[in-house]
Amino acid sequence: SALQGSIAAGREIGLGAVAVPKALVDAAVAQAAGGGEAERVVDVVCSVRGGGPTGQAEAVRLAVARAVQALVPVKRRELKNAGLMTRDGRIVEEKKYGLRKARRAFQWVKR
């Protein structure tokens, strides 16, 4: 692996907290760290909130990619070409008035 340091992802058990599977985080960090030519030993400590396991792993991947770019600016083009510097822009759609949710209408009753 490119990083010899340890990886510690937040695994708080609380209201709405999701424990991210270690395999997802390890894969995301390895992908963001790039090939085996990394010379530095880096410890990754992260805490993510909201979303599901995959979304949280991708958030960690983006954070690690940004950190790698800050440490080694030359790698930016490589990270960008791999699609690691792109944020997932999807957000929750807002609720519309007259509807139960963003697109879900109230149940129709004939009488």
Side-chain angles (χ1 to χ4, degrees), residues 83-100:
L84 299 175
M85 299 300 288
T86 305
R87 180 184 177 274
D88 188 355
R90 295 177 291 184
I91 57 170
V92 178
E93 189 174 348
E94 68 180 68
K95 181 194 174 303
K96 280 47 163 218
Y97 58 88
L99 295 179
R100 205 175 84 191

Side-chain angles (χ1 to χ4, degrees), residues 10-29:
R11 294 180 183 273
E12 294 178 4
I13 304 300
L15 189 61
V18 176
V20 181
K22 186 151 175 39
L24 275 176
V25 174
D26 289 347
V29 169

Side-chain angles (χ1 to χ4, degrees), residues 14-65:
L15 189 61
V18 176
V20 181
K22 186 151 175 39
L24 275 176
V25 174
D26 289 347
V29 169
Q31 185 180 10
E37 73 256 7
E39 299 155 5
R40 300 170 191 224
V41 175
V42 181
D43 292 331
V44 177
V45 179
C46 61
S47 179
V48 289
R49 292 181 3 194
T54 305
Q56 289 188 351
E58 289 177 3
V60 171
R61 182 181 72 185
L62 176 62
V64 170

